[in-house]
Amino acid sequence: MQGIKGVKGMKGTRARGLSLHISLIAGVLLSLFPFYWTIVMSTRTSTEIFQFPPKLLPGTHFLENVRHLFQNIDFFGSMANTLIVAASVTFLVLFFDSLAAFVFAKYEFPGRRLLFVLMMGIFMVPAQLQAIPQFVIMAKLGWIGSLTSLVVPAAANAFGIFWMRQYMRGAIHDELMDSSRLDGCGFLRQYWHVALPVVRPGLAFLGIFTFMGQWNDYAWPLIALINPDHVTLQVALSQLNSVHGTTDYGMVMAGALLALLPLLVVFFIGARQIMADLGKGAIR
């Protein structure tokens, strides 16, 4: 009887494992389908895209769509602008947010709770409400129309501070901080040599999140960059909708596909870094 029950239990476990794997595979396929469909549309003409039933295999017009794309917008110039903004903002956010989060997480000082509550209140304010006062400030500083107006306002944000504070509270133990003080470490040495090596997975996630957000940002660059020849990639791609009387969706999707490739590279590099650091932490 026990043997029969054991066999039934093994069969039930295998069935549950099989159903779980099938569900995961189905979820992965559903997640990848929009990317595949972007590839298909970037290789088709607008007429072929709107045919019914739709053609699910890639076509032969990709190079033609890319050539039209390069003829209508300064693709590489706008991509360079976007790369400069995204990389600069990501670096500044990682530094300032982690530094502020380290103070909030591991140091006691008067007014800490009040400052944190005020910061979370800022976090709750929609970005659309900040656009007008932010534009006025940038205009008075003379930064409207330059990439500085995109980098400086985004150099620190409440979400990054909150995320890193929560991560540091669990990852950096008080005993480690006490040991570093006994060894003579000051604030900056504790931050650089003790905190940062421990929270690298959290920094990797924040870096990916920030870079992707800046790369895909559309509203604020559209407002701040008043020169149409000096714009970021998302604003440049939006100009394709008014290039012709009727939108060439094959060209638009080819631009969207090319704009997506750097994000995939950054994501895979960051994801590998997260998994490698988590593995090192597990071994320790």
Side-chain angles (χ1 to χ4, degrees):
M1 292 294 293
Q2 292 181 353
I4 294 174
K5 291 181 179 180
V7 171
K8 291 182 178 179
M10 291 178 61
K11 289 182 178 180
T13 302
R14 291 177 180 176
R16 287 192 296 270
L18 181 61
S19 63
L20 177 61
H21 280 79
I22 292 175
S23 301
L24 290 175
I25 292 173
V28 169
L29 293 177
L30 288 174
S31 301
L32 291 177
F33 182 76
F35 300 102
Y36 174 75
W37 189 239
T38 300
I39 296 174
V40 172
M41 287 192 293
S42 67
T43 61
R44 298 283 183 178
T45 63
S46 294
T47 303
E48 292 175 338
I49 290 174
F50 289 101
Q51 282 183 349
F52 186 83
K55 296 182 178 181
L56 300 178
L57 295 178
T60 59
H61 296 275
F62 179 72
L63 295 179
E64 180 182 351
N65 291 332
V66 170
R67 186 174 68 253
H68 291 164
L69 173 70
F70 293 162
Q71 290 173 351
N72 287 294
I73 62 172
D74 183 11
F75 183 83
F76 291 107
S78 59
M79 177 178 282
N81 292 335
T82 308
L83 183 61
I84 292 172
V85 172
S88 301
V89 170
T90 300
F91 173 78
L92 293 174
V93 164
L94 290 179
F95 176 69
F96 287 122
D97 286 10
S98 61
L99 190 63
F102 181 57
V103 175
F104 276 119
K106 291 300 173 182
Y107 283 86
E108 293 285 346
F109 56 90
R112 184 182 71 161
R113 294 182 180 275
L114 177 61
L115 286 176
F116 187 74
V117 170
L118 291 176
M119 185 197 68
M120 294 306 299
I122 296 174
F123 180 40
M124 301 300 176
V125 177
Q128 292 81 358
L129 296 180
Q130 304 174 18
I132 295 178
Q134 189 167 286
F135 183 87
V136 173
I137 294 173
M138 294 298 104
K140 290 184 177 181
L141 292 174
W143 291 349
I144 290 297
S146 68
L147 298 182
T148 308
S149 63
L150 306 184
V151 175
V152 174
N157 59 71
F159 168 77
I161 298 174
F162 172 75
W163 160 253
M164 292 306 304
R165 172 187 177 270
Q166 298 302 108
Y167 196 94
M168 287 180 176
R169 290 184 66 183
I172 304 175
H173 299 290
D174 293 334
E175 293 81 2
L176 187 61
M177 295 291 294
D178 294 337
S179 299
S180 65
R181 292 190 186 97
L182 292 176
D183 290 337
C185 290
F187 170 75
L188 290 179
R189 289 189 63 186
Q190 284 182 329
Y191 167 74
W192 189 259
H193 295 288
V194 177
L196 290 188
V198 177
V199 299
R200 284 174 62 182
L203 288 173
F205 167 78
L206 181 59
I208 295 173
F209 182 83
T210 303
F211 188 91
M212 295 179 67
Q214 291 300 314
W215 189 272
N216 293 322
D217 191 16
Y218 172 74
W220 178 241
L222 180 65
I223 297 172
L225 300 180
I226 55 179
N227 186 353
D229 297 325
H230 190 64
V231 296
T232 56
L233 187 57
Q234 301 303 325
V235 178
L237 291 177
S238 69
Q239 296 174 356
L240 296 175
N241 293 324
S242 58
V243 169
H244 305 290
T246 57
T247 302
D248 186 350
Y249 289 100
M251 178 181 64
V252 173
M253 297 312 298
L257 179 62
L258 294 180
L260 181 65
L261 296 181
L263 285 183
L264 294 178
V265 174
V266 170
F267 175 79
F268 283 120
I269 293 175
R272 290 186 62 183
Q273 182 66 44
I274 292 174
M275 297 307 298
D277 288 336
L278 288 177
K280 291 178 183 178
I283 292 174
R284 292 183 188 136

